[in-house]
Amino acid sequence: MLNVRNFCIIAHIDHGKSTLADRILELTKVIHTTNNNQFLDNMELERERGITIKAKAIRIPYRSKAGEDYLLNLIDTPGHVDFNYEVSRSLKACEGAVLLVDATQGVEAQTIANAYLAINAGLEIIPVINKIDLPNAQIDHCRIQLTEMLGLPGEEALLVSAKDGTGVPELLEKVIAVVPPPQGDVNGPLSCFIFDSAYDSYRGVIPHVRIFSGSVAAGDRIIVKSTGKSFEVDEVGYFNPGMTPSPALHTGDVGYLAATIREVNDAGVGDTIISELHPETPAIEGFRRSQPMVYCGIYPINTNEYPRLTAALQKFVLNDSSIVYEKETSAALGYGYRLGFLGMLHMEVTLERLKREYGQELIATMPSVVYKVVTIKGETLMIDNPSRFPSPNFIDHIEEPIVHARIIVPKDFVGPCMTLSEAKRGTMTSMDYPEPKTVILSYEFPLAEIITDYYDKLKSVSRGFASMDYDFAGYRAGDLVKVDVLVKGGQVDALSYITVREFAVIKARALVHKLRGLIPRQQIEIPIQAAIGSKVIAREDIVALRKDVLAKCYGGDISRKRKLLEKQKEGKKRMKMVGSVEVPQEAFLALLKMEE
């Protein structure tokens, strides 16, 4: 145990975490040199987008320059704010963290957020400046930022090029010297923390664990603390890089255990596994469950696929426990689920993974946030779906979620960033100059304003230099209204949304105009309306398809033509009474891409 080191790599997105992990694996001969960059990013979606989505653990045997053998348990983590739940889980399984800073970009928003996560978790932090081989590297500037913005010893930061391997041997030696060995009672009762899990069709749920005390081996009887259910361990092992069986896992080890856990709810992430011989062992504390920020409904295109969607979600949540879901029904779309995500990128990635990995063809409704509705009777309702809002007559006021955002931007782009933030109803709380060329803007935003396109526009107005991180700040009352969308007089509940009264008409007109182009024309005229309560605030009509019933008349008396026109008129009248309009999937995505 004295020669075990558990550490993770944390950084802002695209600062080189996965590339550095590649060089470490090559240096320690875990993998051979390969053109398959970002070895640990083995998910197809991760390679396509060039980002890390899932934290990956791997055991690395390493012989130090002094000739002593060590076991390094490395966890490569995501960098995007939407996946910081993966980071917090990884930190719980480690004693140290390598904080990576891109020499060309400097300290960015998620660098600060991840650094604070590591500090609060009590980890030893090793500051590292990466990409020093690039001609525009600003090493001295990064050292100053590390000192001024994070309070870390910038002058001691290691210089590394993850691309060509410069400085990686020195980094491993630093990890051995600085990161403390794991603490715990080797001979004590078993206590291990589930920091991740996966589902195997043949072996059931396979928890990924960090052992805090005791040991576990095949044949042992274990208890999952939260459920109290008992299982017999079939196999234990570690990641090198695949699942490699071993005789036992001891205090300080990171690995997996298989115990034929068939039900996906029987071993959740954040849970504690203990020995059946010591049921009094307490649960491991200090792990915080994620708080979903964005919600959307998902429905199978074919309603017969609903049971398959249920099974897919249960298995998916094992792999990404930050998602919450509950059953939901829609008059327009049938049976489905309401899912809670950490952000918009998290939502996009999840829907894409459900499609690719589980073969689900889905319709996704517009994203929304959780509103706090206070009724005239004084009741407080937490509502994540606009269609569930009570009638306006029963609402006293509505409170919307507020986030505190930190925007780090070069001082040349402060003006455009402030203009954009004010347009999104942002309220500035402070402006700091941690060093002469950089400004930290602190804003309070309604969450609903920034979940769609704010981040993209922020990158545009700052030419890619600005970065942002946010956390939940509470609820605040606002002048909010629910807008319903009606197609041919019938309400489409999946298109309802909440907005500020001031912008309700503008948004409604933009939406109905877009819907007019998305809903196919029919034999009858179709009105599309947006309404607040019973008051219609926007309307557009889809013109009816005109069939030329007179085409076959090449002459003759006018009465024959009039007879045909009257017959058509009666037919259209009957269609208006009994006809229905199908709203295509593109309409439900219209709100996502709607330009204000």
Side-chain angles (χ1 to χ4, degrees):
M1 193 169 82
L2 291 175
N3 284 13
V4 174
R5 299 291 185 272
N6 298 321
F7 72 102
C8 59
I9 305 175
I10 56 175
H12 190 84
I13 189 169
D14 203 29
H15 278 209
K17 298 177 296 299
S18 299
T19 307
L20 177 60
D22 279 1
R23 299 295 83 76
I24 292 174
L25 296 180
E26 287 175 7
L27 179 67
T28 54
K29 303 292 190 294
V30 173
I31 62 171
H32 299 292
T33 305
T34 174
N35 293 327
N36 195 14
N37 292 330
Q38 281 79 47
F39 177 79
L40 293 179
D41 289 350
N42 51 19
M43 196 187 299
E44 181 186 358
L45 201 57
E46 289 179 317
R47 295 193 178 283
E48 279 183 20
R49 290 177 174 255
I51 59 175
T52 301
I53 294 169
K54 282 291 298 175
K56 309 289 191 312
I58 189 166
R59 176 186 279 200
I60 303 169
Y62 175 67
R63 175 162 287 182
S64 69
K65 289 181 179 178
E68 197 167 350
D69 290 324
Y70 288 86
L71 278 178
L72 309 179
N73 289 311
L74 163 66
I75 301 179
D76 177 29
T77 65
H80 197 280
V81 62
D82 281 13
F83 302 108
N84 69 355
Y85 183 62
E86 294 280 333
V87 179
S88 65
R89 291 188 310 188
S90 304
L91 296 176
K92 183 67 181 174
C94 299
E95 280 79 36
V98 172
L99 181 67
L100 216 57
V101 176
D102 186 332
T104 64
Q105 301 289 331
V107 172
E108 297 195 72
Q110 201 59 28
T111 316
I112 297 175
N114 286 334
Y116 285 147
L117 281 175
I119 292 168
N120 293 336
L123 272 59
E124 286 291 335
I125 299 176
I126 303 173
V128 175
I129 299 172
N130 188 27
K131 303 188 184 182
I132 60 169
D133 56 309
L134 296 180
N136 57 338
Q138 304 175 30
I139 296 171
D140 291 337
H141 179 60
C142 290
R143 290 188 189 278
I144 294 170
Q145 285 189 318
L146 282 166
T147 303
E148 297 292 332
M149 298 171 73
L150 295 173
L152 297 174
E155 68 282 352
E156 297 177 13
L158 298 177
L159 303 182
V160 166
S161 170
K163 185 177 180 181
D164 59 27
T166 304
V168 176
E170 290 78 8
L171 172 59
L172 289 177
E173 291 295 319
K174 185 83 169 180
V175 167
I176 290 169
V178 173
V179 177
Q183 303 295 312
D185 186 356
V186 181
N187 300 314
L190 174 67
S191 177
C192 61
F193 171 74
I194 303 176
F195 68 88
D196 203 355
S197 58
Y199 187 84
D200 186 285
S201 301
Y202 300 101
R203 298 196 287 177
V205 180
I206 300 180
H208 300 180
V209 297
R210 154 72 196 275
I211 313 294
F212 278 91
S213 74
S215 61
V216 62
D220 290 353
R221 298 287 301 180
I222 59 168
I223 295 176
V224 179
K225 189 70 179 176
S226 66
T227 62
K229 292 189 178 181
S230 177
F231 304 94
E232 183 175 337
V233 178
D234 301 328
E235 178 183 300
V236 298
Y238 52 86
F239 305 99
N240 188 33
M243 292 196 294
T244 307
S246 67
L249 291 176
H250 303 283
T251 304
D253 285 343
V254 173
Y256 70 91
L257 61 86
T260 322
I261 304 172
R262 291 297 179 194
E263 294 295 325
V264 294
N265 297 322
D266 285 347
V269 170
D271 219 328
T272 304
I273 290 177
I274 61 174
S275 171
E276 197 178 68
L277 300 173
H278 300 278
E280 74 286 351
T281 307
I284 296 168
E285 297 181 353
F287 181 73
R288 184 174 59 89
R289 289 236 173 248
S290 65
Q291 177 68 38
M293 306 289 272
V294 179
Y295 287 81
C296 93
I298 62 169
Y299 300 85
I301 289 178
N302 183 351
T303 53
N304 295 330
E305 294 292 299
Y306 179 72
R308 282 190 64 232
L309 173 60
T310 303
L313 273 176
Q314 289 176 340
K315 292 174 184 176
F316 186 85
V317 168
L318 275 178
N319 198 248
D320 185 355
S321 60
S322 58
I323 288 175
V324 298
Y325 66 95
E326 62 178 13
K327 291 180 180 179
E328 176 176 87
T329 57
S330 162
L333 300 171
Y335 289 101
Y337 284 95
R338 191 83 180 164
L339 270 65
F341 307 94
L342 300 182
M344 282 299 292
L345 178 65
H346 189 208
M347 172 182 150
E348 288 176 31
V349 166
T350 299
L351 296 180
E352 189 65 26
R353 287 184 66 192
L354 283 170
K355 180 180 177 181
R356 294 190 187 190
E357 298 173 25
Y358 298 92
Q360 297 295 312
E361 291 294 328
L362 302 171
I363 293 176
T365 65
M366 63 163 292
S368 64
V369 298
V370 180
Y371 291 93
K372 186 184 287 186
V373 178
V374 180
T375 65
I376 54 176
K377 293 181 179 179
E379 299 173 339
T380 300
L381 308 174
M382 304 300 288
I383 299 178
D384 58 21
N385 188 343
S387 64
R388 296 178 185 168
F389 264 68
S391 168
N393 302 331
F394 297 102
I395 297 176
D396 180 68
H397 67 274
I398 303 173
E399 296 181 17
E400 58 184 336
I402 303 295
V403 294
H404 179 257
R406 289 173 297 277
I407 302 163
I408 300 179
V409 60
K411 66 176 183 180
D412 296 343
F413 300 104
V414 169
C417 289
M418 290 175 66
T419 303
L420 171 65
S421 300
E422 286 166 11
K424 292 289 185 178
R425 296 196 290 138
T427 305
M428 182 185 285
T429 56
S430 67
M431 178 189 291
D432 300 309
Y433 288 81
E435 44 96 23
K437 295 182 180 179
T438 306
V439 181
I440 299 180
L441 303 174
S442 294
Y443 271 92
E444 286 188 347
F445 285 105
L447 178 59
E449 293 288 340
I450 65 168
I451 61 171
T452 49
D453 59 352
Y454 176 78
Y455 188 72
D456 294 336
K457 288 183 176 179
L458 181 68
K459 286 290 185 184
S460 297
V461 300
S462 66
R463 297 183 192 171
F465 287 108
S467 62
M468 183 186 77
D469 171 61
Y470 63 85
D471 47 57
F472 183 64
Y475 281 86
R476 181 188 299 157
D479 188 12
L480 304 166
V481 291
K482 174 192 171 190
V483 178
D484 293 315
V485 175
L486 297 88
V487 177
K488 194 174 168 289
Q491 182 182 334
V492 184
D493 54 354
L495 287 176
S496 300
Y497 64 96
I498 309 298
T499 187
V500 186
R501 191 183 300 273
E502 182 184 353
F503 302 119
V505 175
I506 299 170
K507 283 189 175 182
R509 286 176 179 168
L511 176 61
V512 297
H513 180 72
K514 182 155 279 193
L515 287 175
R516 191 184 75 167
L518 292 170
I519 297 176
R521 290 173 67 187
Q522 310 282 329
Q523 295 287 336
I524 54 173
E525 184 178 77
I526 303 170
I528 304 173
Q529 300 167 302
I532 299 173
S534 59
K535 180 183 178 183
V536 175
I537 58 173
R539 171 174 174 151
E540 291 210 17
D541 295 325
I542 299 174
V543 180
L545 285 170
R546 304 295 296 258
K547 183 179 178 183
D548 189 1
V549 293
L550 304 182
K552 58 186 177 183
C553 297
Y554 48 85
D557 187 59
I558 186 67
S559 60
R560 185 179 176 205
K561 295 182 180 179
R562 191 175 292 124
K563 184 179 178 183
L564 287 170
L565 289 170
E566 287 296 326
K567 189 176 179 182
Q568 183 188 44
K569 186 176 177 183
E570 286 298 319
K572 291 200 173 197
K573 190 175 180 181
R574 283 197 302 275
M575 286 179 69
K576 280 186 178 180
M577 292 169 62
V578 300
S580 62
V581 179
E582 186 174 328
V583 181
Q585 182 180 1
E586 290 79 13
F588 298 104
L589 304 176
L591 283 162
L592 271 173
K593 300 168 184 174
M594 188 170 62
E595 290 293 329
E596 294 177 16

